[in-house]
Amino acid sequence: LTPGVELRLVGEANDYVGKSMSGGRIVVSPPRGDAGEPVLLGNTALYGATGGELFCAGAAGERFAVRNSGAAAVVEGVGDHACEYMTGGRVVVLGKTGRNMAAGMSGGIAFVLGLDPSRVNTEMVELQRLEPEDLAWLREIIAKHAQFTGSTVATSILSDWPRRSAQFTKIMPRDYQRVMEATLVAKREGRDVDTAIMEASR
């Protein structure tokens, strides 16, 4: 997909949804009256995506957002190895995760509701509490998720936001955080941003 294009699917999709997407929006929702907790996306969704948005009112298979470098996504559950080798973008999981989440994740940010820390590969990432700016962004994108997909999960979270928002955990790559902090300091001090990033990456 490219900017300006929106794809809507009611029902299930197979593997590689949004592979290499650079913009636009994908909305996946279950058929009306669907019972249970539907798995709507196959494996390896958003592989190598550089931009755009994905909203799925259901769970995804394994390796969700592998090598994602710029897309934003909201999904209601993921399988094993989610956010593997991610270098950018933002992923919100409103449900359970599989094992080995964030393996090799060097960039981007993930927000998970009710995260089981034992499911996360912490070799390159840290688990953090959300900052006020994180909460503002998170509430906005969950509201978009509810609007586009009609998700009852998202609606429930928003209706009890003070309590439910405290149940999110932020997954932040250590090197990525250093680069972001160096960028902010350089801009505030009027220094060259590229030089500051190179210094922070050493």
Side-chain angles (χ1 to χ4, degrees), residues 178-179 182-183 185-187 189-202:
R178 281 200 296 269
V179 168
T183 300
V185 171
K187 288 181 177 178
E189 297 177 351
R191 297 168 52 218
D192 181 68
V193 171
D194 291 336
T195 300
I197 291 174
M198 291 298 293
E199 291 173 352
S201 302
R202 290 173 185 166

Side-chain angles (χ1 to χ4, degrees), residues 84-100:
E84 186 178 37
Y85 305 125
M86 209 168 103
T87 60
R90 293 190 173 196
V91 169
V92 179
V93 182
L94 306 179
K96 296 179 180 178
T97 71
R99 63 185 177 85
N100 200 37

Side-chain angles (χ1 to χ4, degrees), residues 72-202:
V74 182
V75 66
E76 298 179 5
V78 290
D80 296 343
H81 317 294
C83 302
E84 186 178 37
Y85 305 125
M86 209 168 103
T87 60
R90 293 190 173 196
V91 169
V92 179
V93 182
L94 306 179
K96 296 179 180 178
T97 71
R99 63 185 177 85
N100 200 37
M101 183 166 185
M105 180 179 171
S106 61
I109 306 173
F111 301 93
V112 183
L113 178 66
L115 177 67
D116 177 353
S118 69
R119 299 275 183 161
V120 182
N121 184 324
T122 56
E123 183 177 351
M124 298 179 67
V125 302
E126 292 181 348
L127 306 184
Q128 302 178 355
R129 296 182 65 178
L130 278 63
E131 301 292 336
E133 57 268 27
D134 297 323
L135 289 168
W137 178 86
L138 189 62
R139 186 170 189 171
E140 180 180 347
I141 200 165
I142 292 175
K144 289 175 69 174
H145 180 66
Q147 175 190 346
F148 295 138
T149 68
S151 167
T152 56
V153 173
T155 302
S156 174
I157 292 169
L158 293 169
S159 67
D160 190 17
W161 184 249
R163 184 178 69 87
R164 301 299 299 278
S165 62
Q167 298 172 350
F168 280 92
T169 300
K170 179 179 180 179
I171 301 177
M172 170 66 81
R174 297 183 189 90
D175 291 344
Y176 185 64
Q177 182 164 21
R178 281 200 296 269
V179 168
M180 290 178 65
E181 290 172 350
T183 300
L184 288 173
V185 171
K187 288 181 177 178
R188 188 166 58 240
E189 297 177 351
R191 297 168 52 218
D192 181 68
V193 171
D194 291 336
T195 300
I197 291 174
M198 291 298 293
E199 291 173 352
S201 302
R202 290 173 185 166

